[in-house]
Amino acid sequence: MTEFKVGFIGTHGVGKTTLCYGLAARLKARDVVLDIVHEVARRCPLPINERTSLAAQSWILHTQISDELVAAARHPVVLCDRSVLDNYVYLLLSGGRQPGLDAMVSWWLETYDRLIYVPIVDEPRPDGMRSTDVSFQRAVDSRLLKELEARGVEVLRLQPRARDRWLDLAEDEVRAHLDTRQLPLL
């Protein structure tokens, strides 16, 4: 069972994947056993982005949870490139609140030890998968922030002006938790 699970959250094109891999490299250098749950939307066989649907987002949410369950069963530290909440926000924008999925998202949010919000600092770059529409990127970000506030979810909010320190801040957050596991003997 996992000892610590962190999710990087935010709209697309903000640097969550870069932070997730950077943090994994730093923790691995300290011999931390971990796994990364990669962004599942990229594997979704249904349309995503502005054309997403209830079916697509249901697939994404359930696959996210499944991948997190497998990672947590095998590794003490799990880093998630997204969380169920920011995935759910795409559905909220396209189809509105879904009571069953909303309850599942609320329940699953409790499994994260820490969420780290990554803000928009640049326009999304084309990657062949994610939308490059700036207004869509901002709509996702705005809705995510509203959901965090409405749900009372505690997050570490990275600041746009401190981008050069984001990785250090994320590492400090995780290491603070991991370092408290043992008392120093000497």
Side-chain angles (χ1 to χ4, degrees), residues 124-184:
R125 295 185 192 135
D127 68 359
M129 178 63 70
R130 284 303 198 169
S131 173
T132 56
D133 182 331
V134 174
S135 62
F136 180 61
Q137 181 194 42
R138 293 189 187 290
V140 172
D141 186 66
S142 175
R143 185 59 187 257
L144 175 60
L145 292 172
K146 287 178 186 171
E147 282 299 306
L148 289 169
E149 184 177 334
R151 294 170 183 265
V153 177
E154 183 181 326
V155 298
L156 169 63
R157 289 182 65 147
L158 300 176
Q159 299 303 312
R161 291 184 180 173
R163 189 176 196 176
D164 60 333
R165 295 203 55 244
W166 285 0
L167 187 52
D168 295 331
L169 293 168
E171 182 182 17
D172 290 348
E173 243 347 89
V174 174
R175 286 191 51 220
H177 176 80
L178 298 177
D179 290 346
T180 60
R181 288 284 183 215
Q182 287 185 338
L183 294 174

Side-chain angles (χ1 to χ4, degrees), residues 8-184:
F8 287 95
I9 63 171
T11 188
H12 53 283
V14 294
K16 294 178 306 297
T17 302
T18 302
L19 283 170
C20 197
Y21 281 101
L23 180 58
R26 286 187 178 188
L27 294 174
K28 286 261 188 200
R30 295 181 172 279
D31 294 324
V32 173
V33 178
L34 62 85
D35 196 8
I36 296 174
V37 175
H38 305 278
E39 181 184 15
V40 300
R42 293 183 179 280
R43 300 189 332 248
C44 184
L46 303 166
I48 61 170
N49 298 315
E50 298 94 332
R51 295 180 29 234
T52 198
S53 63
L54 176 59
Q57 288 308 134
S58 293
W59 186 94
I60 290 168
L61 288 171
H62 287 89
T63 303
Q64 177 83 29
I65 290 171
S66 173
D67 287 1
E68 288 181 24
L69 284 167
V70 171
R74 297 179 179 167
H75 300 88
V77 175
V78 176
L79 306 179
C80 302
D81 181 4
R82 285 218 177 266
S83 77
V84 293
L85 183 60
D86 45 332
N87 281 323
Y88 186 54
V89 164
Y90 287 86
L91 176 61
L92 291 173
L93 287 172
S94 69
R97 199 164 297 282
Q98 303 294 316
L101 292 177
D102 194 68
M104 182 181 72
V105 167
S106 293
W107 170 70
W108 196 255
L109 275 171
E110 298 296 320
T111 69
Y112 298 97
D113 294 291
R114 196 61 160 145
L115 292 174
I116 301 174
Y117 166 75
V118 184
I120 297 173
V121 292
D122 290 320
E123 295 181 0
R125 295 185 192 135
D127 68 359
M129 178 63 70
R130 284 303 198 169
S131 173
T132 56
D133 182 331
V134 174
S135 62
F136 180 61
Q137 181 194 42
R138 293 189 187 290
V140 172
D141 186 66
S142 175
R143 185 59 187 257
L144 175 60
L145 292 172
K146 287 178 186 171
E147 282 299 306
L148 289 169
E149 184 177 334
R151 294 170 183 265
V153 177
E154 183 181 326
V155 298
L156 169 63
R157 289 182 65 147
L158 300 176
Q159 299 303 312
R161 291 184 180 173
R163 189 176 196 176
D164 60 333
R165 295 203 55 244
W166 285 0
L167 187 52
D168 295 331
L169 293 168
E171 182 182 17
D172 290 348
E173 243 347 89
V174 174
R175 286 191 51 220
H177 176 80
L178 298 177
D179 290 346
T180 60
R181 288 284 183 215
Q182 287 185 338
L183 294 174

